Each structure stands twice: as C-alpha cells, then as structure tokens.
C-alpha cells in the first residue's frame, strides 16, 4: 500500500494530537474538525479502505469501534456519530482506513 499521511502519523514522522494508542490502533484529532469533537480511529495495519478488509480483519474492525467508544467517553460524549468514507465517490481522501467520530453538536439524518 502507498505511504499516506496516516502512516507517517503512526510512525511519528509528523505530529498529531493523539488521544489513544495501542498495538493495533491509533486515535487522533482531525486537523479539519467538522464538529466540536472530531477524531479519527485508524488501524496500524495499512488497509486502504473498508472494502479492502478481509475476514481475518474481523477482530481488528471490531476493535476500532470499541476504541471509538472508549475515546468518545474520554471526550465526554454520550451522543456521537461514526462515519466511514469508502472510496473517492464517498469523499474518502486519505487511503488508509479510518473511522470518523464526531460529537458535541446535533446531527441531522439523512447525511449529505
Ligand atoms: P476522508 O475524507 O474520510 O478520507 O477523511 C480524511 C480526514 O483526514 C479529513 O477529515 C482530514 O481533515 C483528516 N486529515 C488529513 N490530514 C490530517 C492530519 N495530518 N492530521 C489529522 N487529520 C488529518
């Protein structure tokens, strides 16, 4: 997989406001926040997008959701929205799988 800005964040080659880290995952604040709280949860494994995930990634994908929940609580959120953009047509711009977690304001449905 091609090097992305997120792989540089994992390797600490560029700075990020890191909220959580373990052997498999990293959570850091989005540099262009779309809500009072907006962070990203990424696997350290370089999966470009969700549709590239394999059955062997099942527990890793579940772990990302649990990390999202842990950090949302840490940030004082009770209501929050998770978003995964899969592919350029769905507004994915960084091709390293990431879960957006947004909170601290109301969200409407359906999303744009
Ligand atoms: P997506 O459009 O789903 O691929 O989202 C990529 C997200 O990464 C965007 O919300 C960007 O603001 C965010 N982003 C890009 N570069 C950085 C960075 N260096 N640190 C934190 N967030 C970033």
């Amino acid at each position: 997989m091609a090097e992305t800005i997120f792989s540089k964040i994992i390797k600490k080659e560029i700075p990020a406001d890191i909220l959580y880290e373990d052997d498999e995952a990293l959570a850091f604040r989005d540099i262009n926040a779309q809500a009072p709280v907006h962070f990203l949860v990424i696997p350290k494994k370089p999966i470009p997008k969700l549709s590239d995930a394999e059955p062997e990634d099942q527990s890793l994908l579940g772990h990302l959701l649990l990390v999202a929940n842990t950090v949302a609580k840490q940030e004082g959120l009770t209501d929050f929205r998770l978003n995964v953009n899969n592919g350029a047509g769905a507004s994915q711009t960084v091709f390293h799988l990431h879960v957006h977690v947004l909170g601290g304001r109301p969200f409407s449905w359906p999303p744009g």
Side-chain angles (χ1 to χ4, degrees):
M1 178 179 133
E3 177 99 331
T4 68
I5 193 115
F6 291 174
S7 45
K8 290 183 180 163
I9 288 174
I10 292 167
K11 289 190 275 179
K12 311 282 165 62
E13 290 174 1
I14 62 167
D17 188 352
I18 293 173
L19 299 171
Y20 176 93
E21 179 167 18
D22 63 26
D23 288 346
E24 291 184 318
L26 189 66
F28 53 93
R29 291 193 198 284
D30 195 295
I31 207 167
N32 184 23
Q34 300 301 312
V37 177
H38 183 180
F39 61 89
L40 305 172
V41 183
I42 68 171
K44 289 189 172 175
K45 178 178 177 180
I47 301 169
K49 55 187 193 293
L50 183 62
S51 54
D52 296 314
E54 305 278 359
E56 69 188 28
D57 298 317
Q58 181 170 331
S59 71
L60 175 60
L61 296 179
H63 184 60
L64 298 181
L65 294 187
L66 290 175
V67 170
N69 192 34
T70 297
V71 179
K73 278 186 191 157
Q74 202 174 286
E75 290 293 302
L77 300 176
T78 51
D79 296 357
F80 50 92
R81 177 169 290 180
L82 269 55
N83 185 90
V84 178
N85 297 325
N86 188 84
S91 294
Q92 185 176 2
T93 58
V94 178
F95 286 84
H96 183 122
L97 174 63
H98 50 282
V99 179
H100 291 263
V101 184
L102 302 110
R105 68 168 170 84
F107 295 98
S108 58
W109 192 262

